[in-house]
Every structure is written in structure tokens, then in C-alpha cells.
Amino acid sequence: MSLMDKVKELLAPDEEETVLYDYECTECDTTFTTSDGPDEVSCDGCGSTDLEEVGRMYAGGGGGVA
């Protein structure tokens, strides 16, 4: 296994991890955080689906296999 493959494995989210996405709405400039992925999310403020992902955070579960 190459070093890059090992790094990707260690940084990949486990099934137990929660991924939180930060989105910014291009319609009303609202920024919000949700666990909904890009295909499922709409703006909390205006309902638009024209969103830009501006951040991502992995919470819980630890890393991959060492």
C-alpha cells in the first residue's frame, strides 16, 4: 500500500462518523450547517437549491484502520 493510499484510508470517514457540511446560499447569502449531503439539501432561509459548499467537518468515530 502506498503512503498516499494509507493517508486516504486514515482520513476517510468511518460509518460511525457524522459529516457536517457548511453551505452558502447564492440566492440569499445565508450560511448554514447540516448533515445533509449536496444532493439532499436546500437553503434554510429561502428554500433554494443553488448552494455552494464552503466547508466540511467530520465528527466522531475516529479514523480509519492504523
Side-chain angles (χ1 to χ4, degrees):
M1 174 182 294
S2 74
L3 178 58
M4 188 55 127
D5 289 338
K6 188 161 188 120
V7 169
K8 286 179 184 177
E9 181 180 316
L10 290 171
L11 295 177
D14 291 339
E15 291 180 27
E16 299 171 14
E17 286 185 320
T18 300
V19 180
L20 299 174
Y21 301 92
D22 293 325
Y23 294 102
E24 183 175 309
C25 178
T26 58
E27 299 288 323
C28 69
D29 292 326
T30 300
T31 302
F32 61 96
T33 302
T34 181
S35 60
D36 295 335
D39 296 333
E40 309 165 333
V41 70
S42 60
C43 177
D44 290 344
C46 69
S48 173
T49 57
D50 190 11
L51 307 172
E52 179 180 345
E53 183 181 325
V54 294
R56 186 180 297 192
M57 182 172 30
Y58 299 96
V65 177

